[in-house]
Amino acid sequence: QVQLVESGGGLVQAGGSLRLSCVASGSIFEIGTMGWYRQAPGKQRELVASITGDGQLNYANSVKGRFTISRDNSKNTVYLQMNSLKPEDTAVYYCICRNVPTTYWGRGTQVTVSS
């Protein structure tokens, strides 16, 4: 059993920044890929960014150059630094952790960007 807890969401103006954090706890033996999805009202859930256990990065085209994903394996934590935020970034952001064959999901944290 693995639990994920996100933090760092909030309300910011366009052009501002937020840093999301997600801590994994529980029965963790090997943590593989961690990442972030987001879902806006009336929209499909989409992958924002991911990072493998050995540091390979993947970003959605819409956030490249603005968002940075990182991890601290000693703390079982993944981060998402979000800069130059746009109103279209408004969504609930969900942390994920893959420990094959299982994918664990956090409960989500709201990010709202005002124009």
Side-chain angles (χ1 to χ4, degrees):
Q1 187 87 288
V2 174
Q3 298 83 43
L4 302 175
V5 179
E6 303 106 328
S7 62
L11 173 64
V12 297
Q13 293 184 326
S17 298
L18 286 173
R19 189 180 77 155
L20 305 183
S21 299
C22 174
V23 180
S25 62
S27 300
I28 302 172
F29 301 103
E30 294 184 41
I31 296 296
T33 297
M34 300 185 75
W36 297 90
Y37 282 78
R38 68 185 181 188
Q39 187 166 26
K43 304 293 185 180
Q44 292 186 310
R45 185 175 59 196
E46 64 177 346
L47 176 67
V48 177
S50 64
I51 181 168
T52 66
D54 62 357
Q56 187 175 32
L57 306 175
N58 185 55
Y59 294 97
N61 287 334
S62 60
V63 307
K64 286 182 179 177
R66 299 189 298 119
F67 291 10
T68 302
I69 189 170
S70 61
R71 65 190 292 165
D72 184 340
N73 290 334
S74 69
K75 299 179 180 178
N76 295 323
T77 301
V78 63
Y79 305 93
L80 186 68
Q81 178 66 47
M82 304 185 293
N83 298 325
S84 301
L85 283 161
K86 304 175 181 180
E88 50 262 46
D89 295 318
T90 295
V92 177
Y93 284 70
Y94 298 91
C95 177
I96 65 99
C97 173
R98 294 195 177 99
N99 187 229
V100 177
T102 306
T103 298
Y104 299 94
W105 291 79
R107 296 178 65 182
T109 185
Q110 177 70 47
V111 171
T112 302
V113 184
S114 64
S115 60

PDB file of all heavy atoms in Angstrom, residues 2-41:
ATOM      1  N   VAL A   2       0.634   2.125  -0.981  1.00  0.00           N
ATOM      2  CA  VAL A   2       1.354   3.384  -1.105  1.00  0.00           C
ATOM      3  C   VAL A   2       0.342   4.519  -1.082  1.00  0.00           C
ATOM      4  O   VAL A   2      -0.694   4.459  -1.742  1.00  0.00           O
ATOM      5  CB  VAL A   2       2.182   3.441  -2.399  1.00  0.00           C
ATOM      6  CG1 VAL A   2       2.799   4.826  -2.585  1.00  0.00           C
ATOM      7  CG2 VAL A   2       3.273   2.377  -2.366  1.00  0.00           C
ATOM      8  N   GLN A   3       0.655   5.558  -0.330  1.00  0.00           N
ATOM      9  CA  GLN A   3      -0.173   6.749  -0.278  1.00  0.00           C
ATOM     10  C   GLN A   3       0.610   7.938  -0.826  1.00  0.00           C
ATOM     11  O   GLN A   3       1.803   8.074  -0.567  1.00  0.00           O
ATOM     12  CB  GLN A   3      -0.626   7.056   1.149  1.00  0.00           C
ATOM     13  CG  GLN A   3      -1.489   5.988   1.790  1.00  0.00           C
ATOM     14  CD  GLN A   3      -0.653   4.868   2.381  1.00  0.00           C
ATOM     15  OE1 GLN A   3       0.364   5.102   3.025  1.00  0.00           O
ATOM     16  NE2 GLN A   3      -1.093   3.628   2.160  1.00  0.00           N
ATOM     17  N   LEU A   4      -0.078   8.802  -1.573  1.00  0.00           N
ATOM     18  CA  LEU A   4       0.519   9.996  -2.147  1.00  0.00           C
ATOM     19  C   LEU A   4      -0.225  11.215  -1.633  1.00  0.00           C
ATOM     20  O   LEU A   4      -1.455  11.247  -1.664  1.00  0.00           O
ATOM     21  CB  LEU A   4       0.447   9.971  -3.672  1.00  0.00           C
ATOM     22  CG  LEU A   4       1.100   8.784  -4.379  1.00  0.00           C
ATOM     23  CD1 LEU A   4       0.836   8.863  -5.880  1.00  0.00           C
ATOM     24  CD2 LEU A   4       2.599   8.761  -4.113  1.00  0.00           C
ATOM     25  N   VAL A   5       0.514  12.208  -1.174  1.00  0.00           N
ATOM     26  CA  VAL A   5      -0.078  13.433  -0.650  1.00  0.00           C
ATOM     27  C   VAL A   5       0.532  14.619  -1.374  1.00  0.00           C
ATOM     28  O   VAL A   5       1.744  14.851  -1.279  1.00  0.00           O
ATOM     29  CB  VAL A   5       0.126  13.574   0.864  1.00  0.00           C
ATOM     30  CG1 VAL A   5      -0.490  14.883   1.355  1.00  0.00           C
ATOM     31  CG2 VAL A   5      -0.493  12.394   1.593  1.00  0.00           C
ATOM     32  N   GLU A   6      -0.309  15.377  -2.090  1.00  0.00           N
ATOM     33  CA  GLU A   6       0.127  16.558  -2.815  1.00  0.00           C
ATOM     34  C   GLU A   6      -0.036  17.804  -1.953  1.00  0.00           C
ATOM     35  O   GLU A   6      -0.907  17.864  -1.084  1.00  0.00           O
ATOM     36  CB  GLU A   6      -0.685  16.743  -4.101  1.00  0.00           C
ATOM     37  CG  GLU A   6      -0.643  15.569  -5.055  1.00  0.00           C
ATOM     38  CD  GLU A   6      -1.933  14.779  -5.046  1.00  0.00           C
ATOM     39  OE1 GLU A   6      -2.596  14.714  -3.978  1.00  0.00           O
ATOM     40  OE2 GLU A   6      -2.288  14.225  -6.111  1.00  0.00           O
ATOM     41  N   SER A   7       0.780  18.806  -2.244  1.00  0.00           N
ATOM     42  CA  SER A   7       0.657  20.096  -1.599  1.00  0.00           C
ATOM     43  C   SER A   7       1.207  21.166  -2.528  1.00  0.00           C
ATOM     44  O   SER A   7       1.904  20.860  -3.496  1.00  0.00           O
ATOM     45  CB  SER A   7       1.389  20.130  -0.253  1.00  0.00           C
ATOM     46  OG  SER A   7       2.778  19.919  -0.424  1.00  0.00           O
ATOM     47  N   GLY A   8       0.892  22.420  -2.236  1.00  0.00           N
ATOM     48  CA  GLY A   8       1.455  23.534  -2.974  1.00  0.00           C
ATOM     49  C   GLY A   8       0.525  24.212  -3.959  1.00  0.00           C
ATOM     50  O   GLY A   8       0.900  25.229  -4.555  1.00  0.00           O
ATOM     51  N   GLY A   9      -0.669  23.681  -4.146  1.00  0.00           N
ATOM     52  CA  GLY A   9      -1.608  24.324  -5.043  1.00  0.00           C
ATOM     53  C   GLY A   9      -2.133  25.617  -4.458  1.00  0.00           C
ATOM     54  O   GLY A   9      -1.937  25.926  -3.284  1.00  0.00           O
ATOM     55  N   GLY A  10      -2.803  26.388  -5.296  1.00  0.00           N
ATOM     56  CA  GLY A  10      -3.350  27.655  -4.846  1.00  0.00           C
ATOM     57  C   GLY A  10      -3.794  28.524  -5.996  1.00  0.00           C
ATOM     58  O   GLY A  10      -3.947  28.062  -7.128  1.00  0.00           O
ATOM     59  N   LEU A  11      -3.992  29.788  -5.678  1.00  0.00           N
ATOM     60  CA  LEU A  11      -4.452  30.790  -6.639  1.00  0.00           C
ATOM     61  C   LEU A  11      -3.326  31.766  -6.930  1.00  0.00           C
ATOM     62  O   LEU A  11      -2.744  32.345  -6.004  1.00  0.00           O
ATOM     63  CB  LEU A  11      -5.660  31.539  -6.077  1.00  0.00           C
ATOM     64  CG  LEU A  11      -6.172  32.733  -6.872  1.00  0.00           C
ATOM     65  CD1 LEU A  11      -6.699  32.286  -8.226  1.00  0.00           C
ATOM     66  CD2 LEU A  11      -7.249  33.461  -6.081  1.00  0.00           C
ATOM     67  N   VAL A  12      -3.016  31.939  -8.209  1.00  0.00           N
ATOM     68  CA  VAL A  12      -1.983  32.890  -8.625  1.00  0.00           C
ATOM     69  C   VAL A  12      -2.465  33.654  -9.849  1.00  0.00           C
ATOM     70  O   VAL A  12      -3.364  33.214 -10.569  1.00  0.00           O
ATOM     71  CB  VAL A  12      -0.642  32.206  -8.950  1.00  0.00           C
ATOM     72  CG1 VAL A  12      -0.059  31.524  -7.717  1.00  0.00           C
ATOM     73  CG2 VAL A  12      -0.812  31.193 -10.080  1.00  0.00           C
ATOM     74  N   GLN A  13      -1.846  34.801 -10.078  1.00  0.00           N
ATOM     75  CA  GLN A  13      -2.121  35.569 -11.280  1.00  0.00           C
ATOM     76  C   GLN A  13      -1.315  35.033 -12.456  1.00  0.00           C
ATOM     77  O   GLN A  13      -0.270  34.397 -12.277  1.00  0.00           O
ATOM     78  CB  GLN A  13      -1.787  37.045 -11.060  1.00  0.00           C
ATOM     79  CG  GLN A  13      -2.687  37.751 -10.069  1.00  0.00           C
ATOM     80  CD  GLN A  13      -2.380  39.220  -9.966  1.00  0.00           C
ATOM     81  OE1 GLN A  13      -1.220  39.640 -10.085  1.00  0.00           O
ATOM     82  NE2 GLN A  13      -3.399  40.028  -9.737  1.00  0.00           N
ATOM     83  N   ALA A  14      -1.810  35.276 -13.653  1.00  0.00           N
ATOM     84  CA  ALA A  14      -1.071  34.896 -14.845  1.00  0.00           C
ATOM     85  C   ALA A  14       0.346  35.463 -14.788  1.00  0.00           C
ATOM     86  O   ALA A  14       0.550  36.621 -14.413  1.00  0.00           O
ATOM     87  CB  ALA A  14      -1.785  35.382 -16.092  1.00  0.00           C
ATOM     88  N   GLY A  15       1.305  34.627 -15.157  1.00  0.00           N
ATOM     89  CA  GLY A  15       2.706  35.010 -15.081  1.00  0.00           C
ATOM     90  C   GLY A  15       3.384  34.627 -13.788  1.00  0.00           C
ATOM     91  O   GLY A  15       4.616  34.702 -13.696  1.00  0.00           O
ATOM     92  N   GLY A  16       2.614  34.208 -12.802  1.00  0.00           N
ATOM     93  CA  GLY A  16       3.160  33.825 -11.518  1.00  0.00           C
ATOM     94  C   GLY A  16       3.671  32.406 -11.498  1.00  0.00           C
ATOM     95  O   GLY A  16       3.677  31.701 -12.510  1.00  0.00           O
ATOM     96  N   SER A  17       4.091  31.969 -10.296  1.00  0.00           N
ATOM     97  CA  SER A  17       4.703  30.655 -10.124  1.00  0.00           C
ATOM     98  C   SER A  17       4.126  29.929  -8.927  1.00  0.00           C
ATOM     99  O   SER A  17       3.675  30.544  -7.954  1.00  0.00           O
ATOM    100  CB  SER A  17       6.219  30.789  -9.924  1.00  0.00           C
ATOM    101  OG  SER A  17       6.850  31.373 -11.043  1.00  0.00           O
ATOM    102  N   LEU A  18       4.145  28.616  -9.003  1.00  0.00           N
ATOM    103  CA  LEU A  18       3.816  27.736  -7.897  1.00  0.00           C
ATOM    104  C   LEU A  18       4.736  26.529  -7.950  1.00  0.00           C
ATOM    105  O   LEU A  18       5.195  26.146  -9.025  1.00  0.00           O
ATOM    106  CB  LEU A  18       2.369  27.240  -7.963  1.00  0.00           C
ATOM    107  CG  LEU A  18       1.233  28.193  -7.618  1.00  0.00           C
ATOM    108  CD1 LEU A  18      -0.105  27.524  -7.933  1.00  0.00           C
ATOM    109  CD2 LEU A  18       1.290  28.597  -6.157  1.00  0.00           C
ATOM    110  N   ARG A  19       4.985  25.924  -6.798  1.00  0.00           N
ATOM    111  CA  ARG A  19       5.703  24.661  -6.747  1.00  0.00           C
ATOM    112  C   ARG A  19       4.838  23.622  -6.055  1.00  0.00           C
ATOM    113  O   ARG A  19       4.468  23.782  -4.889  1.00  0.00           O
ATOM    114  CB  ARG A  19       7.040  24.783  -6.019  1.00  0.00           C
ATOM    115  CG  ARG A  19       7.889  23.507  -6.170  1.00  0.00           C
ATOM    116  CD  ARG A  19       9.226  23.577  -5.464  1.00  0.00           C
ATOM    117  NE  ARG A  19       9.105  23.396  -4.030  1.00  0.00           N
ATOM    118  CZ  ARG A  19      10.080  22.947  -3.239  1.00  0.00           C
ATOM    119  NH1 ARG A  19      11.270  22.644  -3.769  1.00  0.00           N
ATOM    120  NH2 ARG A  19       9.891  22.829  -1.948  1.00  0.00           N
ATOM    121  N   LEU A  20       4.537  22.549  -6.770  1.00  0.00           N
ATOM    122  CA  LEU A  20       3.790  21.443  -6.215  1.00  0.00           C
ATOM    123  C   LEU A  20       4.743  20.386  -5.674  1.00  0.00           C
ATOM    124  O   LEU A  20       5.806  20.150  -6.243  1.00  0.00           O
ATOM    125  CB  LEU A  20       2.894  20.798  -7.275  1.00  0.00           C
ATOM    126  CG  LEU A  20       1.921  21.713  -8.018  1.00  0.00           C
ATOM    127  CD1 LEU A  20       1.056  20.885  -8.969  1.00  0.00           C
ATOM    128  CD2 LEU A  20       1.063  22.504  -7.048  1.00  0.00           C
ATOM    129  N   SER A  21       4.346  19.758  -4.580  1.00  0.00           N
ATOM    130  CA  SER A  21       5.118  18.673  -3.993  1.00  0.00           C
ATOM    131  C   SER A  21       4.216  17.470  -3.791  1.00  0.00           C
ATOM    132  O   SER A  21       3.016  17.614  -3.554  1.00  0.00           O
ATOM    133  CB  SER A  21       5.713  19.077  -2.639  1.00  0.00           C
ATOM    134  OG  SER A  21       6.581  20.176  -2.762  1.00  0.00           O
ATOM    135  N   CYS A  22       4.795  16.296  -3.868  1.00  0.00           N
ATOM    136  CA  CYS A  22       4.061  15.062  -3.634  1.00  0.00           C
ATOM    137  C   CYS A  22       4.963  14.096  -2.902  1.00  0.00           C
ATOM    138  O   CYS A  22       6.049  13.763  -3.396  1.00  0.00           O
ATOM    139  CB  CYS A  22       3.588  14.454  -4.962  1.00  0.00           C
ATOM    140  SG  CYS A  22       2.805  12.832  -4.803  1.00  0.00           S
ATOM    141  N   VAL A  23       4.522  13.641  -1.749  1.00  0.00           N
ATOM    142  CA  VAL A  23       5.285  12.717  -0.923  1.00  0.00           C
ATOM    143  C   VAL A  23       4.623  11.345  -0.955  1.00  0.00           C
ATOM    144  O   VAL A  23       3.420  11.225  -0.694  1.00  0.00           O
ATOM    145  CB  VAL A  23       5.387  13.202   0.531  1.00  0.00           C
ATOM    146  CG1 VAL A  23       6.192  12.211   1.364  1.00  0.00           C
ATOM    147  CG2 VAL A  23       6.023  14.583   0.587  1.00  0.00           C
ATOM    148  N   ALA A  24       5.391  10.334  -1.279  1.00  0.00           N
ATOM    149  CA  ALA A  24       4.922   8.956  -1.267  1.00  0.00           C
ATOM    150  C   ALA A  24       5.318   8.293   0.040  1.00  0.00           C
ATOM    151  O   ALA A  24       6.451   8.434   0.500  1.00  0.00           O
ATOM    152  CB  ALA A  24       5.496   8.181  -2.447  1.00  0.00           C
ATOM    153  N   SER A  25       4.388   7.553   0.610  1.00  0.00           N
ATOM    154  CA  SER A  25       4.667   6.853   1.857  1.00  0.00           C
ATOM    155  C   SER A  25       3.972   5.500   1.836  1.00  0.00           C
ATOM    156  O   SER A  25       3.115   5.236   1.002  1.00  0.00           O
ATOM    157  CB  SER A  25       4.213   7.669   3.067  1.00  0.00           C
ATOM    158  OG  SER A  25       2.812   7.877   3.046  1.00  0.00           O
ATOM    159  N   GLY A  26       4.346   4.646   2.777  1.00  0.00           N
ATOM    160  CA  GLY A  26       3.754   3.325   2.876  1.00  0.00           C
ATOM    161  C   GLY A  26       4.747   2.241   2.528  1.00  0.00           C
ATOM    162  O   GLY A  26       5.937   2.363   2.809  1.00  0.00           O
ATOM    163  N   SER A  27       4.243   1.190   1.919  1.00  0.00           N
ATOM    164  CA  SER A  27       5.054   0.025   1.596  1.00  0.00           C
ATOM    165  C   SER A  27       5.795   0.241   0.284  1.00  0.00           C
ATOM    166  O   SER A  27       5.419  -0.291  -0.765  1.00  0.00           O
ATOM    167  CB  SER A  27       4.176  -1.223   1.526  1.00  0.00           C
ATOM    168  OG  SER A  27       3.523  -1.458   2.751  1.00  0.00           O
ATOM    169  N   ILE A  28       6.844   1.031   0.356  1.00  0.00           N
ATOM    170  CA  ILE A  28       7.632   1.386  -0.822  1.00  0.00           C
ATOM    171  C   ILE A  28       8.944   0.617  -0.796  1.00  0.00           C
ATOM    172  O   ILE A  28       9.747   0.787   0.123  1.00  0.00           O
ATOM    173  CB  ILE A  28       7.910   2.888  -0.874  1.00  0.00           C
ATOM    174  CG1 ILE A  28       6.601   3.679  -0.883  1.00  0.00           C
ATOM    175  CG2 ILE A  28       8.744   3.220  -2.107  1.00  0.00           C
ATOM    176  CD1 ILE A  28       6.792   5.170  -0.736  1.00  0.00           C
ATOM    177  N   PHE A  29       9.146  -0.197  -1.805  1.00  0.00           N
ATOM    178  CA  PHE A  29      10.393  -0.927  -1.942  1.00  0.00           C
ATOM    179  C   PHE A  29      11.246  -0.373  -3.079  1.00  0.00           C
ATOM    180  O   PHE A  29      12.453  -0.173  -2.912  1.00  0.00           O
ATOM    181  CB  PHE A  29      10.108  -2.418  -2.162  1.00  0.00           C
ATOM    182  CG  PHE A  29       9.335  -3.049  -1.053  1.00  0.00           C
ATOM    183  CD1 PHE A  29       7.976  -3.311  -1.193  1.00  0.00           C
ATOM    184  CD2 PHE A  29       9.949  -3.378   0.140  1.00  0.00           C
ATOM    185  CE1 PHE A  29       7.253  -3.885  -0.172  1.00  0.00           C
ATOM    186  CE2 PHE A  29       9.240  -3.952   1.176  1.00  0.00           C
ATOM    187  CZ  PHE A  29       7.885  -4.208   1.017  1.00  0.00           C
ATOM    188  N   GLU A  30      10.627  -0.145  -4.220  1.00  0.00           N
ATOM    189  CA  GLU A  30      11.273   0.482  -5.358  1.00  0.00           C
ATOM    190  C   GLU A  30      10.279   1.427  -6.020  1.00  0.00           C
ATOM    191  O   GLU A  30       9.207   1.000  -6.430  1.00  0.00           O
ATOM    192  CB  GLU A  30      11.746  -0.547  -6.385  1.00  0.00           C
ATOM    193  CG  GLU A  30      12.847  -1.460  -5.896  1.00  0.00           C
ATOM    194  CD  GLU A  30      13.342  -2.396  -6.984  1.00  0.00           C
ATOM    195  OE1 GLU A  30      13.494  -1.941  -8.143  1.00  0.00           O
ATOM    196  OE2 GLU A  30      13.581  -3.577  -6.688  1.00  0.00           O
ATOM    197  N   ILE A  31      10.641   2.693  -6.112  1.00  0.00           N
ATOM    198  CA  ILE A  31       9.821   3.680  -6.779  1.00  0.00           C
ATOM    199  C   ILE A  31      10.340   3.873  -8.204  1.00  0.00           C
ATOM    200  O   ILE A  31      11.515   4.172  -8.408  1.00  0.00           O
ATOM    201  CB  ILE A  31       9.826   5.019  -6.041  1.00  0.00           C
ATOM    202  CG1 ILE A  31       9.200   4.860  -4.652  1.00  0.00           C
ATOM    203  CG2 ILE A  31       9.083   6.075  -6.850  1.00  0.00           C
ATOM    204  CD1 ILE A  31       7.732   4.481  -4.688  1.00  0.00           C
ATOM    205  N   GLY A  32       9.449   3.679  -9.148  1.00  0.00           N
ATOM    206  CA  GLY A  32       9.810   3.889 -10.538  1.00  0.00           C
ATOM    207  C   GLY A  32       9.459   5.296 -10.980  1.00  0.00           C
ATOM    208  O   GLY A  32       9.819   6.276 -10.343  1.00  0.00           O
ATOM    209  N   THR A  33       8.728   5.391 -12.086  1.00  0.00           N
ATOM    210  CA  THR A  33       8.338   6.688 -12.615  1.00  0.00           C
ATOM    211  C   THR A  33       7.371   7.414 -11.680  1.00  0.00           C
ATOM    212  O   THR A  33       6.441   6.802 -11.149  1.00  0.00           O
ATOM    213  CB  THR A  33       7.702   6.526 -13.999  1.00  0.00           C
ATOM    214  OG1 THR A  33       8.668   5.978 -14.902  1.00  0.00           O
ATOM    215  CG2 THR A  33       7.210   7.856 -14.546  1.00  0.00           C
ATOM    216  N   MET A  34       7.599   8.698 -11.496  1.00  0.00           N
ATOM    217  CA  MET A  34       6.660   9.570 -10.808  1.00  0.00           C
ATOM    218  C   MET A  34       6.293  10.711 -11.748  1.00  0.00           C
ATOM    219  O   MET A  34       7.049  11.023 -12.676  1.00  0.00           O
ATOM    220  CB  MET A  34       7.245  10.124  -9.512  1.00  0.00           C
ATOM    221  CG  MET A  34       7.641   9.048  -8.515  1.00  0.00           C
ATOM    222  SD  MET A  34       8.203   9.706  -6.922  1.00  0.00           S
ATOM    223  CE  MET A  34       6.628  10.195  -6.192  1.00  0.00           C
ATOM    224  N   GLY A  35       5.143  11.313 -11.516  1.00  0.00           N
ATOM    225  CA  GLY A  35       4.753  12.385 -12.414  1.00  0.00           C
ATOM    226  C   GLY A  35       3.493  13.092 -11.982  1.00  0.00           C
ATOM    227  O   GLY A  35       2.987  12.888 -10.875  1.00  0.00           O
ATOM    228  N   TRP A  36       3.017  13.934 -12.883  1.00  0.00           N
ATOM    229  CA  TRP A  36       1.850  14.762 -12.633  1.00  0.00           C
ATOM    230  C   TRP A  36       0.898  14.726 -13.812  1.00  0.00           C
ATOM    231  O   TRP A  36       1.321  14.866 -14.969  1.00  0.00           O
ATOM    232  CB  TRP A  36       2.258  16.227 -12.387  1.00  0.00           C
ATOM    233  CG  TRP A  36       3.102  16.415 -11.168  1.00  0.00           C
ATOM    234  CD1 TRP A  36       4.458  16.363 -11.082  1.00  0.00           C
ATOM    235  CD2 TRP A  36       2.624  16.691  -9.845  1.00  0.00           C
ATOM    236  NE1 TRP A  36       4.864  16.590  -9.787  1.00  0.00           N
ATOM    237  CE2 TRP A  36       3.759  16.789  -9.005  1.00  0.00           C
ATOM    238  CE3 TRP A  36       1.356  16.857  -9.295  1.00  0.00           C
ATOM    239  CZ2 TRP A  36       3.652  17.059  -7.643  1.00  0.00           C
ATOM    240  CZ3 TRP A  36       1.249  17.119  -7.942  1.00  0.00           C
ATOM    241  CH2 TRP A  36       2.392  17.218  -7.136  1.00  0.00           C
ATOM    242  N   TYR A  37      -0.368  14.517 -13.522  1.00  0.00           N
ATOM    243  CA  TYR A  37      -1.455  14.687 -14.464  1.00  0.00           C
ATOM    244  C   TYR A  37      -2.285  15.886 -14.030  1.00  0.00           C
ATOM    245  O   TYR A  37      -2.202  16.327 -12.890  1.00  0.00           O
ATOM    246  CB  TYR A  37      -2.350  13.450 -14.511  1.00  0.00           C
ATOM    247  CG  TYR A  37      -1.801  12.287 -15.295  1.00  0.00           C
ATOM    248  CD1 TYR A  37      -0.820  11.462 -14.765  1.00  0.00           C
ATOM    249  CD2 TYR A  37      -2.286  11.995 -16.567  1.00  0.00           C
ATOM    250  CE1 TYR A  37      -0.324  10.388 -15.479  1.00  0.00           C
ATOM    251  CE2 TYR A  37      -1.797  10.922 -17.291  1.00  0.00           C
ATOM    252  CZ  TYR A  37      -0.822  10.120 -16.748  1.00  0.00           C
ATOM    253  OH  TYR A  37      -0.340   9.045 -17.464  1.00  0.00           O
ATOM    254  N   ARG A  38      -3.107  16.394 -14.943  1.00  0.00           N
ATOM    255  CA  ARG A  38      -4.034  17.450 -14.569  1.00  0.00           C
ATOM    256  C   ARG A  38      -5.346  17.261 -15.306  1.00  0.00           C
ATOM    257  O   ARG A  38      -5.390  16.661 -16.377  1.00  0.00           O
ATOM    258  CB  ARG A  38      -3.466  18.842 -14.851  1.00  0.00           C
ATOM    259  CG  ARG A  38      -3.290  19.181 -16.324  1.00  0.00           C
ATOM    260  CD  ARG A  38      -2.607  20.530 -16.476  1.00  0.00           C
ATOM    261  NE  ARG A  38      -2.445  20.909 -17.874  1.00  0.00           N
ATOM    262  CZ  ARG A  38      -1.757  21.961 -18.293  1.00  0.00           C
ATOM    263  NH1 ARG A  38      -1.157  22.761 -17.402  1.00  0.00           N
ATOM    264  NH2 ARG A  38      -1.663  22.240 -19.583  1.00  0.00           N
ATOM    265  N   GLN A  39      -6.416  17.780 -14.712  1.00  0.00           N
ATOM    266  CA  GLN A  39      -7.730  17.715 -15.324  1.00  0.00           C
ATOM    267  C   GLN A  39      -8.489  18.995 -15.021  1.00  0.00           C
ATOM    268  O   GLN A  39      -8.698  19.342 -13.856  1.00  0.00           O
ATOM    269  CB  GLN A  39      -8.520  16.508 -14.827  1.00  0.00           C
ATOM    270  CG  GLN A  39      -9.830  16.300 -15.569  1.00  0.00           C
ATOM    271  CD  GLN A  39     -10.431  14.936 -15.313  1.00  0.00           C
ATOM    272  OE1 GLN A  39     -10.193  14.327 -14.273  1.00  0.00           O
ATOM    273  NE2 GLN A  39     -11.211  14.449 -16.261  1.00  0.00           N
ATOM    274  N   ALA A  40      -8.883  19.690 -16.069  1.00  0.00           N
ATOM    275  CA  ALA A  40      -9.701  20.884 -15.953  1.00  0.00           C
ATOM    276  C   ALA A  40     -11.168  20.504 -16.121  1.00  0.00           C
ATOM    277  O   ALA A  40     -11.484  19.494 -16.760  1.00  0.00           O
ATOM    278  CB  ALA A  40      -9.289  21.914 -16.997  1.00  0.00           C
ATOM    279  N   PRO A  41     -12.089  21.304 -15.579  1.00  0.00           N
ATOM    280  CA  PRO A  41     -13.517  21.012 -15.734  1.00  0.00           C
ATOM    281  C   PRO A  41     -13.912  20.871 -17.194  1.00  0.00           C
ATOM    282  O   PRO A  41     -13.577  21.720 -18.021  1.00  0.00           O
ATOM    283  CB  PRO A  41     -14.193  22.220 -15.086  1.00  0.00           C
ATOM    284  CG  PRO A  41     -13.199  22.723 -14.097  1.00  0.00           C
ATOM    285  CD  PRO A  41     -11.864  22.506 -14.754  1.00  0.00           C
TER     286      PRO A  41
END
